[in-house]
Amino acid sequence: MTRTAFKPSNHPLAAYIERLEAGGDLLPDSPENLVEVVGILKSYGVVLDAYSKNLIYIADHQFLVFFPFFKYFNGDINPTKLLRHWWHDRINYEYAEYVMKVMMWHGGGGLDDYLDTEEFQQLAERAIRAKFKFNPAISAIHAIFPDFLPEYVRQSCYYSALGQFWRVMSDIFLTLSDRYDAGEIQSIPEVVQYILDGLVAAASKPITYGVKIGDRRYDILPKSAGLTFLMDTAVPYVDTIFFRGTPFPGTVSYNAQAHQIPYFQRDFAYGALYADPLPTGGAGIPPTLLMQDMRHYLPDYLHEVYRTNCRGEDDIRVQICQSFQKSMFCVTTAAIKGLAPHPLTTTDPEEHEANRQYLETWMDRFITSRLEMVNQRTERACQLFPEPSEKTK
Amino acid sequence: MLTLLIALPILGAIAIGLFPAKPTSNRFRQLALATAIAVFLWTVLLTTQFDLNQVGLQFEQSLSWIPSLGLSYRLGLDGISLPLVLLNGLLSAIAIYSTSRSITRPRLYYALVLLLMAGVYGAFLAQDLLLFFLFYEIELIPLYLLIAIWGGKRRGYAATKFLIYTALSGILILAAFLGLVWLGGSSSFAYQPFAGNHLPLTTQLVLLGALLVGFGIKIPVVPFHTWLPDAHVEASTPISVLLAGVLLKLGTYGLLRFGYGLFPEAWHYVAPALASWAVVSVLYGALSAIAQTDMKKMVAYSSIAHMGYILLAVAAATPISLLAAVFQMIAHGLISALLFLLVGIIYRKAGTRDLSVLTGLLNPERGLPVIGSLMVLGVMASAGIPGMAGFIAEFLVFRGSFTEFPVQTLLSMVGTGLTAVYFLLLINRAFFGRLSDVVVNLPPVQWDDRIPAIVLAVFIVILGLLPSPLVDLTENQTTALTRSPSTFSVSALSPDPPGTVGP
């Protein structure tokens, strides 16, 4: 039986379902898309490497430090670095924290569940007591407000988990870039497959977390908790950061009372796949920080693409954001393929039907996303607002 | 010294006309700009030499011209005309700088702009009624051509309308001047304050009425305003800058200098009606601005409203209100020039001025963020936000006029609120919100496009924070003008024997 015999989907995004079933990807394969995706993932990999190191440093070394003034210094504090920090000629670790907080707020996955268990409570309590055994003031506060410090510990867990997740992703993206440079990656499907292989390879990597207090190590996320890379960090990450996200104050005025922001978190659609790249660069637009960081590490071939834009490098952060969105659709494609109940190209009718339902569920979430936009050719020429005709006035 | 202000631009225009270069050469622009800057620097030099403590004319020059007609070439500068002379120099240089380098027929264009500059200088400096009229009319011709040749789609209509209205204005002014001299039994057209006071009141009122309508067209006040929005919409950006910034001030300057200056007694009778007329202009202009969807038309109607404040201040004729009138002329000159400049840049870069189409122009990377920020500053200044020139001007207007016309002043203050309304509409529609999905790559604005607007913005803020230099320049003269003829220092105004030339 051939695939063409299957009943076509009635979904508004049926074209993409068919494309995925035919072995294609959400992002069309084109030389420009390939350059943009690989180039941006290269710079993203460099930035993620830095984010990952810092998140893990904060989790390990700023555990229950209430005023971590030097948390972005990774333990290396000197006047030169301090001046550079104030001058903002640095990696914007604030963005990594923003992502961590969004992930923590939305929750989901095994990590979120584990942080509500009795076992975690006990482990956290043990670490808190050890940390403040010589601090009667904080111990007293902890006795009066017993939920306060454990919440801090939960946050530290997210610092660590996201750091570990990004460590893996950074390595995947940097080796992808190396393979591209070596001529081994030549198409978008190859990019998606490479990411998918990387995710699969790291799927069962354990996510653990412990802190050293005094001369003793305290486990917070022990190996016995069974938390793994794919299901407990990657999937929640994709769900919260790619799909849900948070509305950015300052771009649009929201009236929460009128439910312009969904009542339920699960209905949020402010993630990376929905974000309008145009406001990038504005105050209060968190991805601006990421784009600002990535611009420092753009490979020359991608930089050249951006220079051909109408405004040259003036709007480079917007262009980076557009490319980044394309790359995130590639990562999402890898996730969709990796989590599918059966190979998407299956010819078995039952498997196909199961895949169809699975894909339609994904597509429901893509309806309001930027999927259509990333499938259009990026406009790089200058344009004017169309002058309204007398008829339309 | 003063003749140079008129002669230099004329010589510049002649030099451009004769300059051996390709018709599309950039040399014409450079020559025009150099001339305008030189003249502006000359006005700055004059300002440094200006004696703030002296009331009356300074740097006077007088030549007998046509003695049989009582016509003389008399120029002079006082605290009322000096700020306007400075404004003309600054805005002319800015207008030339802001002109597109790819303008067609640059030789003619720049020559006309310089002639326009010379004509306006002449009008502000003239101390002879007919000489003023001559310059007043001379500037019409270059301006007519500048609109008719380099204007928009309906440029012919707009330019003709402008010419008819302003020519009619000139005729009325000329009639009033001739009436004053002939009925007053004078043999000279030399300007003297309070010259009309000795005429019968009815005669004064008739002559003043002619001046009011004549200058009222130029200001313009409702209902003689209809030429202005058309002229603005069709004129190119630099010409709009000159039109709003300087040329309209000829109307208010004329009203203050000749209307009030020559007929203070009759003025006392018409002042309440004038103040009410000002209110109508303010409110009509503001309400019309609210109704506009064309950004340029909105700014044009806003000009009508803001010129109404000057009319109110001149009508009140108190020492503070006359000072306010001059201050508002300068403030409005700078602010309206800034707004028209910015609207011009927006039109060039966005392709439309339609507020129902434009959106999200403040976008930091793909929009026009600097232009948008300057626009926010400009509209705040126009709405009289403290810290900017508009606030000082409007505050002085209301403070100076309230004692004479409290009701009209309070009604005019509503106009300030309405200014905030229409400019918030402009900012909200065009600049805030998301940049349109239809337009994702607006052409960039270069620094040399921004510089003129930044210069104007700096002046607006400086005058808002430090108004004293302008106040010091003007206050003595405007205060003296409100005194009785017997106490007004006319030592410097007495006609010189024909043939003498001042320092």
Side-chain angles (χ1 to χ4, degrees):
Chain A
M1 190 181 284
T2 59
R3 268 189 315 102
T4 49
F6 295 127
K7 190 176 147 199
S9 170
N10 293 322
H11 197 279
L13 298 178
Y16 297 99
I17 292 174
E18 285 165 20
R19 193 193 288 177
L20 288 167
E21 287 173 345
D25 306 294
L26 292 174
L27 187 72
D29 186 19
S30 72
E32 190 183 48
N33 280 348
L34 180 67
V35 164
E36 281 189 68
V37 168
V38 176
I40 212 70
L41 287 179
K42 153 81 179 177
S43 59
Y44 190 45
V46 175
V47 172
L48 284 192
D49 175 59
Y51 287 171
S52 162
K53 284 174 182 166
N54 183 249
L55 287 168
I56 290 168
Y57 167 79
I58 292 171
D60 292 349
H61 299 278
Q62 304 291 314
F63 180 73
L64 290 176
V65 175
F66 301 122
F67 302 103
F69 292 117
F70 299 104
K71 62 182 174 181
Y72 299 141
F73 286 67
N74 292 341
D76 177 24
I77 304 163
N78 59 63
T80 310
K81 213 171 169 183
L82 191 63
L83 287 172
R84 276 191 63 175
H85 179 86
W86 285 333
W87 188 247
H88 271 259
D89 179 22
R90 59 180 175 91
I91 294 278
N92 290 287
Y93 296 114
E94 293 90 338
Y95 179 73
E97 282 191 311
Y98 162 79
V99 171
M100 179 276 296
K101 284 173 183 170
V102 173
M103 206 171 157
M104 183 178 173
W105 187 64
H106 279 292
L111 175 61
D112 186 41
D113 292 340
Y114 181 76
L115 295 182
D116 291 328
T117 60
E118 189 62 36
E119 184 187 350
F120 168 77
Q121 281 284 9
Q122 289 169 3
L123 292 170
E125 185 65 26
R126 208 174 299 158
I128 289 165
R129 283 176 190 273
K131 179 80 180 175
F132 297 114
K133 66 181 173 189
F134 300 118
N135 192 330
I138 299 296
S139 297
I141 288 171
H142 179 52
I144 300 166
F145 305 104
D147 292 333
F148 176 64
L149 293 178
E151 196 61 19
Y152 251 94
V153 179
R154 286 190 186 98
Q155 185 173 274
S156 293
C157 292
Y158 268 96
Y159 267 109
S160 179
L162 181 60
Q164 292 172 68
F165 168 71
W166 270 346
R167 172 74 273 134
V168 172
M169 296 313 292
S170 168
D171 293 342
I172 292 173
F173 296 149
L174 291 174
T175 52
L176 168 75
S177 171
D178 293 342
R179 300 259 324 254
Y180 172 80
D181 292 343
E184 295 168 28
I185 299 280
Q186 295 180 339
S187 68
I188 291 293
E190 287 175 2
V191 170
V192 172
Q193 190 58 48
Y194 187 83
I195 295 169
L196 174 56
D197 294 344
L199 291 172
V200 170
S204 56
K205 185 177 184 295
I207 299 294
T208 60
Y209 171 48
V211 285
K212 198 173 176 202
I213 300 169
D215 55 358
R216 197 178 147 193
R217 184 177 168 80
Y218 291 83
D219 277 343
I220 311 286
L221 298 177
K223 200 169 180 179
S224 59
L227 301 175
T228 57
F229 166 83
L230 186 66
M231 295 314 292
D232 302 313
T233 58
V235 172
Y237 177 88
V238 168
D239 193 40
T240 59
I241 306 304
F242 285 17
F243 287 94
R244 294 187 190 181
T246 54
F248 306 146
T251 320
V252 181
S253 295
Y254 296 102
N255 181 344
Q257 280 77 17
H259 293 293
Q260 288 177 1
I261 293 175
Y263 186 78
F264 296 106
Q265 282 173 252
R266 65 169 180 266
D267 298 330
F268 271 38
Y270 302 105
L273 304 183
Y274 300 87
D276 178 4
L278 288 184
T280 305
I285 312 295
T288 300
L289 298 176
L290 174 63
M291 309 312 150
Q292 176 72 14
D293 288 341
M294 282 199 278
R295 71 178 298 178
H296 298 302
Y297 305 104
L298 294 174
D300 290 342
Y301 57 81
L302 183 56
H303 217 141
E304 201 48 50
V305 171
Y306 292 158
R307 285 197 192 101
T308 64
N309 206 53
C310 163
R311 298 177 84 146
E313 291 190 53
D314 283 358
D315 62 346
I316 197 162
R317 287 176 299 195
V318 174
Q319 296 188 72
I320 290 171
C321 193
Q322 288 174 325
S323 302
F324 181 70
Q325 203 159 45
K326 287 181 180 181
S327 72
M328 290 305 103
F329 273 101
C330 287
V331 176
T332 307
T333 307
I336 290 171
K337 288 181 173 180
L339 297 170
H342 310 285
L344 291 181
T345 51
T346 183
T347 53
D348 181 85
E350 280 184 19
E351 289 182 355
H352 182 270
E353 188 54 37
N355 281 347
R356 176 64 61 87
Q357 286 176 11
Y358 165 81
L359 288 174
E360 285 185 349
T361 307
W362 277 103
M363 289 304 146
D364 287 343
R365 302 186 77 180
F366 284 133
I367 285 173
T368 55
S369 77
R370 305 269 306 178
L371 182 57
E372 298 283 2
M373 283 72 157
V374 299
N375 272 270
Q376 292 163 12
R377 198 174 171 281
T378 304
E379 184 58 61
R380 299 201 182 276
C382 287
Q383 297 164 288
L384 300 179
F385 278 89
E387 183 80 89
S389 64
E390 289 304 316
K391 282 180 187 175
T392 58
K393 271 189 174 183
Chain B
M1 279 180 102
L2 297 184
T3 299
L4 213 53
L5 289 179
I6 303 164
L8 264 179
I10 293 172
L11 290 172
I14 293 168
I16 286 171
L18 300 175
F19 194 78
K22 281 190 293 185
T24 55
S25 171
N26 202 34
R27 295 274 176 224
F28 305 123
R29 173 192 160 87
Q30 291 164 354
L31 204 54
L33 191 58
T35 306
I37 289 170
V39 178
F40 175 59
L41 292 176
W42 187 243
T43 61
V44 173
L45 185 71
L46 285 175
T47 308
T48 60
Q49 303 299 308
F50 191 81
D51 183 358
L52 297 176
N53 299 315
Q54 187 188 327
V55 174
L57 296 176
Q58 297 181 37
F59 313 113
E60 270 191 286
Q61 288 181 278
S62 181
L63 279 170
S64 176
W65 188 8
I66 310 173
S68 55
L69 294 179
L71 190 57
S72 57
Y73 174 81
R74 291 167 54 82
L75 303 179
L77 202 56
D78 64 8
I80 295 171
S81 51
L82 180 56
L84 293 163
V85 162
L86 278 166
L87 183 71
N88 185 36
L90 175 68
L91 293 189
S92 298
I94 280 177
I96 291 167
Y97 185 88
S98 309
T99 300
S100 165
R101 284 173 176 75
S102 58
I103 194 158
T104 55
R105 302 167 73 183
R107 188 192 296 270
L108 178 60
Y109 175 87
Y110 290 114
L112 288 173
V113 172
L114 289 177
L115 287 177
L116 181 66
M117 187 182 184
V120 174
Y121 270 132
F124 285 141
L125 297 172
Q127 299 301 323
D128 181 282
L129 301 182
L130 276 190
L131 189 66
F132 169 82
F133 169 75
L134 192 74
F135 283 121
Y136 185 86
E137 291 292 288
I138 278 175
E139 52 85 19
L140 295 189
I141 299 152
L143 189 58
Y144 166 78
L145 292 171
L146 286 164
I147 297 172
I149 298 172
W150 290 275
K153 287 175 191 164
R154 295 167 69 242
R155 57 185 181 270
Y157 165 79
T160 306
K161 195 173 181 181
F162 160 77
L163 191 68
I164 291 169
Y165 269 78
T166 325
L168 180 65
S169 145
I171 290 164
L172 289 166
I173 292 164
L174 178 64
F177 288 167
L178 292 175
L180 173 67
V181 173
W182 292 342
L183 297 172
S186 172
S187 59
S188 166
F189 281 94
Y191 170 77
Q192 290 189 57
F194 319 113
N197 269 8
H198 62 280
L199 291 171
L201 183 62
T202 313
T203 310
Q204 285 188 48
L205 287 170
V206 169
L207 296 176
L208 178 57
L211 284 181
L212 288 177
V213 176
F215 288 123
I217 291 170
K218 188 75 173 180
I219 289 172
V221 285
V222 176
F224 310 122
H225 66 284
T226 60
W227 65 269
L228 183 74
D230 288 325
H232 268 308
V233 168
E234 298 309 321
S236 61
T237 299
I239 305 311
S240 274
V241 166
L242 288 174
L243 182 57
V246 184
L247 293 161
L248 302 188
K249 308 302 176 287
L250 281 173
T252 45
Y253 170 81
L255 212 56
L256 173 56
R257 171 80 73 197
F258 302 104
Y260 174 73
L262 293 172
F263 304 103
E265 191 186 341
W267 191 269
H268 175 71
Y269 288 91
V270 301
L274 269 185
S276 302
W277 198 8
V279 171
V280 171
S281 257
V282 167
L283 296 181
Y284 179 89
L287 291 169
S288 299
I290 290 173
Q292 301 309 312
T293 54
D294 182 326
M295 218 186 260
K296 205 170 185 183
K297 256 191 172 165
M298 186 183 270
V299 178
Y301 276 106
S302 130
S303 269
I304 293 168
H306 282 80
M307 295 303 280
Y309 295 136
I310 304 174
L311 183 60
L312 173 70
V314 179
T318 63
I320 295 177
S321 80
L322 290 190
L323 168 66
V326 176
F327 207 112
Q328 173 71 348
M329 284 188 229
I330 302 304
H332 177 260
L334 294 170
I335 294 166
S336 62
L338 172 66
L339 294 176
F340 278 114
L341 259 182
L342 297 172
V343 169
I345 293 170
I346 289 163
Y347 184 60
R348 213 165 59 241
K349 298 298 176 184
T352 180
R353 297 187 301 255
D354 195 318
L355 291 172
S356 58
V357 174
L358 292 169
T359 174
L361 291 181
L362 263 177
N363 181 291
E365 300 209 1
R366 288 272 172 104
L368 313 172
V370 175
I371 299 306
S373 307
L374 288 166
M375 182 61 97
V376 170
L377 183 141
V379 302
M380 283 167 70
S382 190
I385 299 294
M388 280 171 272
F391 170 74
I392 305 290
E394 286 174 23
F395 176 80
L396 286 172
V397 168
F398 300 140
R399 171 73 184 77
S401 308
F402 187 78
T403 50
E404 296 297 310
F405 305 116
V407 175
Q408 289 93 329
T409 303
L410 287 171
L411 286 170
S412 290
M413 287 168 83
V414 173
T416 307
L418 293 174
T419 304
V421 170
Y422 59 75
F423 277 142
L424 274 177
L425 284 173
L426 183 149
I427 292 293
N428 201 36
R429 287 181 191 174
F431 292 92
F432 291 165
R434 289 174 67 249
L435 193 61
S436 165
D437 281 331
V438 181
V439 180
V440 291
N441 280 319
L442 286 181
V445 180
Q446 305 303 334
W447 269 104
D448 57 354
D449 285 329
R450 296 170 183 159
I451 285 168
I454 290 170
V455 168
L456 288 171
V458 166
F459 276 112
I460 288 165
V461 173
I462 287 174
L463 267 185
L465 297 174
L466 198 70
S468 49
L470 180 55
V471 170
D472 294 345
L473 214 58
T474 305
E475 195 174 20
N476 287 341
Q477 189 65 31
T478 49
T479 304
L481 207 54
T482 56
R483 291 184 198 143
S484 64
S486 56
T487 57
F488 185 79
S489 168
V490 290
S491 57
L493 298 170
S494 52
D496 290 321
T500 58
V501 180

